[in-house]
Amino acid sequence: MPGNRQVVIANVPTGPLEPSNFEVREGDALAPGEGQVLCRTLALTIGAGQRAGLQGSASYAGAPVSGVVMGGTGIARVEESRAPGLAAGDIVVAPTGWQELSVHDGAGLQRVEAGIDPALQLGVLGTNGLTAYFGLLEVGRPKAGETVVVSAAAGSVGHIVGQVAKRQGCRVVGVAGSDEKCQLLVKELGFDEAVNYKDPGFRAAFKAVTPDRIDVYFDNTGGDILESALFRMNLRGRIVCCGVVSQYDTSNPGPGPRGVPGLLVNNRVRMEGFLVFDFAARYGEARRELASWIERGELAPRVTEFKGLEAAPRAFVELLHGGTIGTTIVRL
Ligand SMILES: NC(=O)c1ccc[n+]([C@@H]2O[C@H](COP(=O)([O-])OP(=O)(O)OC[C@H]3O[C@@H](n4cnc5c(N)ncnc54)[C@H](OP(=O)(O)O)[C@@H]3O)[C@@H](O)[C@H]2O)c1
């Protein structure tokens, strides 16, 4: 029986996440029961929202505990099947967690085409691409000619939001944490403007790149960037509350921004949160459309890759510190 290396939560973080919050251990051998499959993880994706999952009750995922395998989504190959409709060699998307092997009920698994790169399946065709697609198009509802602003713009969700808004005919402004990221957004991903929120002159620069103010603000960060956007919203603007990454890597999230609800009232702004799972019935349709945009060269997804299961904690820390671009993938 093959071994099963696993990354477990050694201790729940009380301050900024560190690799030492995790440890690698050898897990017990696994065998699938009736209706189940044994899977070998090929690649994992790490998302910023997983840090919220380690924060406790504020997250929809519930309170975190130590001593368990870190959760997460992976692309895996079926090694052994006792489930109808699945055979050894099939490739599936599964809640593998950070481990080499995992057992799942066959009924809940999604089979994917073997020839497609796991980085694509986990990135733009996975949860974060779908989040960008539905959050922007269904919650933000941008119209051609409108100004769309997105924060964490070079990240997994953000870089797709900006490119989809561009193909909707919008003027797109990205907010990111380095000049290199801002350059990439404009020069390679087609954003009209990008501003670095870490620059001391951010507020003035932000104002300068939104001369017609903002119609749709896609908020991945909350915090100061959300506050800046609130003060620039147009009449009947929409704020898409996707996530709050500025408040994840801490045990003491800051208070909400100024301007709520006063500015929402005055400008009749709609501020709406969503979870991508709300749109689960339409994932197939969205994946087909996103794939067709990639094929036509209208969408260029990016990934940052790490090699080996042991790299997962470091990849997570780097993601939170702005060290990755696009979707963060760990290949096993
Ligand atoms: N609603 C849903 O269903 C749903 C589903 C998936 C993801 N999400 C949310 O989508 C957001 C993006 O997730 P992701 O996985 O795509 O992560 P990501 O954008 O790839 O990575 C997070 C990025 O946030 C930026 N960041 C870190 N600290 C920040 C701070 N204090 N202020 C501003 N920016 C900061 C960093 O880039 P910089 O270099 O720019 O700082 C970092 O690279 C998260 O809020 C996540 O929770 C929501």
Side-chain angles (χ1 to χ4, degrees):
M1 193 60 76
N4 184 19
R5 272 178 320 137
Q6 306 173 316
V7 176
V8 299
I9 303 168
N11 47 77
V12 175
T14 51
L17 190 77
E18 292 176 11
S20 61
N21 293 123
F22 301 94
E23 65 189 15
V24 179
R25 75 173 181 201
E26 194 69 31
D28 294 335
L30 296 171
E34 193 54 41
Q36 293 187 318
V37 290
L38 174 68
C39 291
R40 176 171 293 280
T41 312
L42 303 177
L44 297 164
T45 181
I46 302 179
Q50 288 176 266
R51 178 66 182 87
L54 293 174
Q55 257 179 340
S57 53
S59 160
Y60 60 83
V65 286
S66 60
V68 299
V69 174
M70 178 64 190
T73 304
I75 293 283
R77 186 179 60 232
V78 175
E79 299 280 273
E80 190 184 335
S81 177
R82 296 185 62 195
L86 285 168
D90 282 350
I91 304 294
V92 293
V93 180
T96 57
W98 294 7
Q99 56 187 339
E100 291 177 326
L101 296 169
S102 53
V103 164
H104 306 277
D105 289 339
L109 292 186
Q110 178 208 336
R111 196 168 37 188
V112 295
E113 256 183 72
I116 300 183
D117 185 351
L120 208 58
Q121 300 280 12
L122 292 172
V124 65
L125 303 179
T127 302
N128 281 349
L130 296 167
T131 299
Y133 180 96
F134 288 112
L136 179 71
L137 298 179
E138 299 295 333
V139 186
R141 296 178 214 148
K143 298 184 206 66
E146 288 189 330
T147 297
V148 173
V149 172
V150 55
S151 54
S156 182
V157 172
H159 84 300
I160 302 298
V161 168
Q163 293 182 74
V164 173
K166 237 3 248 178
R167 73 171 303 291
Q168 294 294 110
C170 299
R171 182 169 179 281
V172 177
V173 175
V175 179
S178 73
D179 293 345
E180 293 73 24
K181 284 187 177 181
C182 289
Q183 271 175 29
L184 173 119
L185 293 172
V186 174
K187 292 198 174 133
E188 295 183 36
L189 300 184
F191 284 53
D192 295 285
E193 301 278 359
V195 275
N196 180 352
Y197 71 89
K198 290 181 182 163
D199 195 296
F202 168 68
R203 289 234 170 185
F206 189 64
K207 203 170 164 187
V209 296
T210 53
D212 299 327
R213 306 183 82 87
I214 303 170
D215 299 294
V216 176
Y217 170 54
F218 193 106
D219 186 33
N220 284 318
T221 58
D224 292 343
I225 306 171
L226 170 59
E227 184 168 303
S228 300
L230 271 163
F231 281 86
R232 299 291 299 155
M233 294 305 293
N234 267 326
L235 199 67
R236 304 219 179 272
R238 288 82 74 200
I239 297 178
V240 182
C241 296
C242 177
V244 198
V245 68
S246 73
Q247 308 300 318
Y248 289 165
D249 205 14
T250 170
S251 294
N252 300 302
R258 290 180 304 143
V260 177
L263 290 169
L264 305 181
V265 175
N266 290 347
N267 290 322
R268 288 73 132 195
V269 169
R270 173 166 58 84
M271 188 172 188
E272 184 177 342
F274 78 102
L275 288 176
V276 64
F277 318 116
D278 302 341
F279 299 95
R282 295 177 52 201
Y283 283 176
E285 162 204 329
R287 283 197 182 99
R288 279 190 294 279
E289 192 149 42
L290 287 162
S292 76
W293 294 341
I294 296 169
E295 213 168 293
R296 293 208 293 266
E298 295 169 6
L299 182 59
R302 295 293 178 118
V303 293
T304 299
E305 292 203 6
F306 293 79
K307 293 247 177 306
L309 183 68
E310 292 80 359
R314 180 167 53 85
F316 197 6
V317 171
E318 280 196 31
L319 161 79
L320 295 167
H321 289 183
T324 62
I325 288 172
T327 303
T328 300
I329 300 285
V330 179
R331 283 195 202 258
L332 272 66

